[in-house]
Amino acid sequence: MAEGELNEDNSFSLTRLEFNITSKCNLNCCYCANDFNLMSSKTLSLETMAHIMDRVGPEIVNFTGGEPTLERVLVPAIQAAKERGIIVQLDTHATTLTTRRIDDLVVAGVDRFHVSYSTTREKFREIRGVPKRLFHNLQRNLRHIAAIPSVELLCEAVLSTENYKDFPRLYKEVVDIGADEFQVQPLLPFGRADYKMLLPPGVMTEVIEGLYAIEDPRTPLKIWCSYITRCSPYADRVYKEERSTNKAIQSEQGRKQTGLSTGCLEGWTRLHIHNNGDVLICDLVNWPAIGNVYEKDILDIYNDTFLREVRATKPEACESCEYWHSCHNVCPATAFNMTGNLRTRFWDLYKLKDQQPIEIELSPKEVKIPPRPR
């Protein structure tokens, strides 16, 4: 079963785990949704990760952070996953790696490299917080990965006010590098990211339209968390029935091909285990931790009352929507964080003025968001 596909009983299964093995990171990206601490000494142990993999039996495991390549436990953790027949994705900024280290990671068992490519060389210091010369390291490493037949290279760019005009160029550079996919992740205003960096959906739509106009079949596009769902005022401008970024979403049982994104799967098919053991529904927004693997079994956490409520609760306007299983209320975490109500419809957070770009109606300063676990 592919990730995101419904079971026969119209339910989902936990098929993917993300291990945030460390909070350390040697970059300082302004768009990062995770406000990580370079000095944090907490790291998930190999024994803990192996036990969780045995309990869940996931199809895919992500090793992420922080920057996971800073930790010695990474290679044995990758090897443990491969011994269990699990697909391994490594999330890395790849900026400070060497080609030899990349080869060692491939030998250990990495199947996919998921690398952030969110800025041009000119803005590298401004956006990523490190010298411009490291941009050349990044491109060298990406080309090296792309040349390895046994692995996939997925490049992701975070879409914000800081870089939205650069996206055609970023995409063309990624195509030239030879990446297998270019993923667009609209900024989520948590962690280091600021609400001022959040694009209005109208502008976001224009960027997405522009990318689809130049899409190259050698490097397909995938758009995550775009907010431009079927109930969006902009849906007709970007949705095409023949365009689907997730073939697992079928037309029957409400599993419509979305043509844009798979919808939110956090808490349905994925869980995130933080480096201190806390289990998070999503690592991009401030859902409260729903348990800790050092205190409770991972499957008991997955079946926790609150998480079951998250999966089962629909806003009234979504009750009869045929696209529910490819949307899940766009970003339920944002709706919950801003109102404290799981039945809040995401688009009710916005207002439309004379078909102009939609602006946030609720002030985030008025909402108390629980702090991220450390």
Side-chain angles (χ1 to χ4, degrees):
M1 179 181 295
E3 188 191 16
E5 187 174 1
L6 284 166
N7 299 322
E8 291 184 1
D9 63 353
N10 214 35
S11 65
F12 285 94
S13 297
L14 182 58
T15 59
R16 186 165 188 156
L17 295 173
E18 182 165 297
F19 291 113
N20 295 61
I21 62 175
T22 180
S23 288
K24 297 177 183 177
C25 186
N26 48 2
L27 267 62
N28 188 26
C29 303
C30 66
Y31 56 79
C32 187
N34 299 303
D35 190 14
F36 287 132
N37 180 5
L38 180 61
M39 303 307 294
S40 175
S41 60
K42 295 179 180 177
T43 304
L44 278 174
S45 68
L46 175 62
E47 294 75 19
T48 298
M49 289 186 279
H51 174 71
I52 293 171
M53 287 188 274
D54 288 337
R55 289 291 292 141
V56 175
E59 297 174 11
I60 304 173
V61 163
N62 284 33
F63 293 106
T64 184
E67 173 52 44
T69 61
L70 297 175
E71 296 295 341
R72 293 182 179 179
V73 73
L74 176 63
V75 168
I78 292 170
Q79 293 169 334
K82 295 310 296 180
E83 290 169 359
R84 292 161 172 79
I86 300 170
I87 296 170
V88 173
Q89 177 173 308
L90 176 62
D91 297 350
T92 172
H93 57 61
T95 302
T96 54
L97 293 178
T98 63
T99 54
R100 180 176 178 178
R101 181 76 192 284
I102 291 168
D103 292 341
D104 290 342
L105 291 168
V106 173
V107 170
V110 173
D111 298 293
R112 301 173 181 169
F113 285 86
H114 182 251
V115 183
S116 177
Y117 196 88
S118 295
T119 178
T120 60
R121 177 187 177 280
E122 292 79 7
K123 296 181 180 178
F124 202 72
R125 178 184 286 277
E126 173 188 350
I127 291 180
R128 311 218 52 181
V130 290
K132 288 182 181 180
R133 59 181 173 79
L134 291 179
F135 179 78
H136 298 291
N137 290 7
L138 173 61
Q139 287 204 322
R140 177 203 64 202
N141 291 338
L142 292 180
R143 292 184 187 280
H144 185 77
I145 294 169
I148 302 174
S150 62
V151 301
E152 289 183 279
L153 173 59
L154 313 177
C155 290
E156 179 186 83
V158 176
L159 178 59
S160 74
T161 57
E162 304 300 304
N163 64 357
Y164 73 98
K165 294 181 180 179
D166 299 324
F167 263 68
R169 174 179 167 183
L170 294 175
Y171 178 51
K172 290 176 181 178
E173 289 180 358
V174 165
V175 172
D176 179 66
I177 285 168
D180 295 287
E181 188 172 83
F182 184 62
Q183 301 179 355
V184 179
Q185 169 68 64
L187 177 132
L188 295 171
F190 298 95
R192 296 192 191 116
D194 189 276
Y195 272 87
K196 295 178 181 178
M197 297 169 62
L198 184 66
L199 280 179
V203 178
M204 187 189 305
T205 304
E206 292 176 3
V207 175
I208 293 169
E209 284 184 297
L211 289 174
Y212 277 130
I214 60 172
E215 186 173 14
D216 190 312
R218 293 173 295 174
T219 305
L221 291 164
K222 178 172 283 186
I223 316 296
W224 295 109
C225 303
S226 69
Y227 301 175
I228 315 301
T229 55
R230 285 289 185 178
C231 55
S232 158
Y234 302 95
D236 292 341
R237 290 170 52 182
V238 292
Y239 275 93
K240 306 292 182 184
E241 285 299 332
E242 67 274 15
R243 180 194 295 149
S244 177
T245 58
N246 187 342
K247 303 303 181 185
I249 299 177
Q250 306 297 323
S251 58
E252 68 270 19
Q253 298 179 0
R255 288 175 280 173
K256 298 293 184 179
Q257 292 186 342
T258 66
L260 192 61
S261 67
T262 59
C264 181
L265 296 174
E266 310 299 338
W268 277 267
T269 65
R270 306 176 192 168
L271 284 180
H272 304 257
I273 297 89
H274 203 260
N275 65 309
N276 65 355
D278 279 343
V279 179
L280 310 176
I281 300 175
C282 176
D283 67 334
L284 296 178
V285 292
N286 286 315
W287 279 112
I290 55 174
N292 189 291
V293 294
Y294 296 120
E295 301 171 357
K296 192 174 182 180
D297 182 77
I298 186 68
L299 293 180
D300 290 338
I301 295 173
Y302 181 68
N303 292 307
D304 175 83
T305 302
F306 175 71
L307 188 50
R308 283 191 287 112
E309 184 181 1
V310 170
R311 293 194 292 264
T313 302
K314 297 181 182 180
E316 184 176 351
C318 303
E319 288 285 356
S320 59
C321 180
E322 61 180 336
Y323 298 109
W324 168 256
H325 290 295
S326 60
C327 172
H328 292 147
N329 194 22
V330 190
C331 182
T334 298
F336 176 73
N337 274 324
M338 296 189 76
T339 67
N341 186 352
L342 287 172
R343 291 184 64 85
T344 299
R345 180 173 173 263
F346 176 84
W347 277 106
D348 290 340
L349 301 175
Y350 292 78
K351 58 185 176 182
L352 187 62
K353 293 182 178 180
D354 303 319
Q355 300 301 313
Q356 296 301 310
I358 294 172
E359 305 295 343
I360 290 180
E361 185 174 38
L362 300 179
S363 170
K365 295 180 181 178
E366 299 172 359
V367 181
K368 293 182 179 180
I369 298 176
R372 281 199 61 100
R374 287 286 184 268

